[in-house]
Amino acid sequence: MSKHSQTSQTLFNCNNMVDPIKRIILKHPKDAFINQNKIDSEYKSLNFLGAPDLKESSKEFRHFTKILNSFDIKLHFIEKDDLTTIDSIYAHDPLIISNSGAIICNMGKKSRIPEKVAIKNFLKSKNIPILGEITDPGKLEGGDIVWINQNTIAVGMGYRTNMDGIKQLSKLLTDIVEEIIPVPLPHWNGPEDCLHLMSNLSPIDHNLFLVYPRLLPVNFIEYLLENNIELINVPDEEYETMACNVLAIAPKKVIMIEGNPLTKKLLEKNNVKVYTYKGSEISLKGSGGPTCLTKPLFRKPLNR
C-alpha cells in the first residue's frame, strides 16, 4: 500500500455524505467572531439577520460539539486568522474534501476569499494534500456540493458557484467522479442571500434525502427519484428556520436546529434519530446550519 493510500485511509475519506463521521473540521466562535466589537462591525455588511451574541454563541457551539463528541468524532479546529470575517465560522464552504485530497474553493462571496490562506495552513498542518484550487473566473463554494453517491456529485449553480467553477472542479475530480450534475438555483432573495444547493437538499441515508422541492428544478427531482432515492419534503413553514439544513453524522442519525417540529417528526417517521441544538446565534442569524458549521474530513466507509 502506498504512503498516499495509507494517509487517505486514516486522515481523509469523503465520497458520500452519510457514512459515519470520524473526523470533522470546525471553527470555534471565539476564533471566528473573536470579540463582540468585530461582530457588531461586520454583521450588517455580511448580510447576517442580526448580530450574534458571542457568549451565547459559545454556549450553543459547546452543545453542538457535545453531540459530535458523543459519537466519538475527532474535532479539528481552524485557528483564528485576522484576515477573515465572522462568516468564517461556517467551515464547510472554503474547501471540498475528496478521496485524493482537498480542493480549495474560490468563494462567490468576495469577503470570504481571504479564508483560502487559513484553510491552506490548516491542511498543511494536518498533512492533507491539496488536489487543486478553483481560480478566477471560476467561483465555487462548498455549500453547493452534494455527493449523490460515491461516483456522482450534484453542484448548485447560482450566485455563489458558476459554470466555470464547475468545469474546473470536473477536471480536478476526473479520476474520482464519473458524473457531475449542474443544478440551476433560483434567484430567490437575490445575490446577497446565501442560497446554496445544500440549503434545499440534505442526504439522510444513501437512498433517503431531505429536500425543499419548491426551490429545486423538476429534472433534478426526477433524477433523484429515478435513482431510487426517497424524498422527505420540508414543510413551507419550516424552510426559513433552516429545517432542510441537516447534518448526517451516520446513516439515519442527524443533527438539526431545534424549533422545526414538523420536519423532525417526518424524519422520525422514517426511522431517523434526530439530535437538536439551539442555533439562534451560530446558525439562524448567519443562515448557516449544522452542515455549514462543519466540514466532514473522514467518513468511515460502510460495506454496501
Side-chain angles (χ1 to χ4, degrees):
M1 182 181 294
S2 68
K3 182 178 179 182
H4 178 73
S5 296
Q6 290 175 335
T7 300
S8 66
Q9 289 190 9
T10 56
L11 294 180
F12 61 97
N13 183 49
C14 276
N15 62 0
N16 70 87
M17 303 181 76
V18 295
D19 282 349
I21 299 173
K22 294 302 177 184
R23 296 176 183 269
I24 201 164
I25 301 170
L26 310 99
K27 192 169 187 180
H28 197 287
K30 66 180 177 61
D31 295 321
F33 294 167
I34 300 178
N35 56 56
Q36 196 63 46
N37 287 337
K38 180 176 175 67
I39 293 171
D40 294 341
S41 66
E42 291 183 356
Y43 82 93
K44 289 183 180 178
S45 64
L46 296 176
N47 209 37
F48 275 57
L49 300 178
D53 179 271
L54 182 57
K55 186 176 180 180
E56 289 301 314
S57 294
S58 295
K59 287 182 180 179
E60 290 181 3
F61 195 78
R62 186 161 55 248
H63 181 210
F64 180 70
T65 54
K66 185 177 180 180
I67 299 172
L68 296 175
N69 283 324
S70 71
F71 283 86
D72 196 30
I73 298 172
K74 184 173 178 57
L75 312 183
H76 299 275
F77 291 94
I78 301 169
E79 294 184 357
K80 179 173 65 175
D81 187 293
D82 293 335
L83 297 177
T84 61
T85 69
I86 61 174
D87 259 333
S88 64
I89 192 173
Y90 302 121
H92 190 90
D93 293 320
L95 77 163
I96 297 164
I97 300 295
S98 79
N99 286 6
S100 293
I103 296 171
I104 307 299
C105 295
N106 194 26
M107 310 284 274
K109 190 173 185 178
K110 292 182 179 179
S111 59
R112 299 199 66 180
I113 291 176
E115 292 179 38
K116 285 184 179 183
V117 176
I119 290 300
K120 289 178 182 178
N121 290 337
F122 170 84
L123 294 170
K124 184 178 180 181
S125 71
K126 301 299 179 184
N127 296 314
I128 297 170
I130 296 175
L131 184 62
E133 183 173 342
I134 306 300
T135 59
D136 287 331
K139 300 294 180 185
L140 190 80
E141 294 195 1
D144 280 321
I145 307 297
V146 175
W147 291 83
I148 303 300
N149 55 52
Q150 60 183 346
N151 301 312
T152 308
I153 292 179
V155 185
M157 186 171 57
Y159 287 116
R160 302 299 183 90
T161 296
N162 62 18
M163 183 54 73
D164 198 289
I166 296 173
K167 288 179 179 178
Q168 291 183 43
L169 177 68
S170 181
K171 289 181 180 179
L172 289 169
L173 295 178
T174 186
D175 296 328
I176 306 168
V177 174
E178 295 177 1
E179 184 178 14
I180 290 184
I181 304 170
V183 181
L185 296 175
H187 172 77
W188 191 229
N189 293 322
E192 299 303 317
D193 193 42
C194 183
L195 183 70
H196 286 134
L197 179 57
M198 291 193 69
S199 303
N200 306 325
L201 174 67
S202 291
I204 304 300
D205 201 348
H206 295 283
N207 60 349
L208 181 67
F209 286 13
L210 182 68
V211 300
Y212 188 64
R214 289 166 64 96
L215 293 180
L216 291 173
V218 171
N219 63 340
F220 182 59
I221 294 174
E222 289 178 340
Y223 169 85
L224 297 174
L225 293 173
E226 288 167 1
N227 282 273
N228 300 314
I229 296 173
E230 184 180 351
L231 306 180
I232 301 174
N233 295 339
V234 170
D236 290 340
E237 55 266 49
E238 291 187 352
Y239 179 72
E240 294 285 358
T241 48
M242 304 186 71
C244 200
N245 192 307
V246 170
L247 174 67
I249 46 183
K252 290 192 174 183
K253 294 180 181 178
V254 305
I255 304 177
M256 71 182 302
I257 302 169
E258 68 178 35
N260 293 294
L262 298 178
T263 305
K264 184 173 182 286
K265 186 175 291 185
L266 288 172
L267 288 167
E268 290 171 340
K269 284 183 178 179
N270 282 270
N271 299 313
V272 178
K273 178 64 176 177
V274 181
Y275 302 83
T276 62
Y277 71 101
K278 183 180 179 183
S280 62
E281 305 301 311
I282 59 175
S283 290
L284 293 175
K285 288 183 177 179
S287 301
T291 61
C292 307
L293 289 166
T294 59
K295 172 63 74 172
L297 186 57
F298 180 87
R299 286 184 182 269
K300 185 177 181 180
L302 296 175
N303 293 325
R304 294 190 295 276

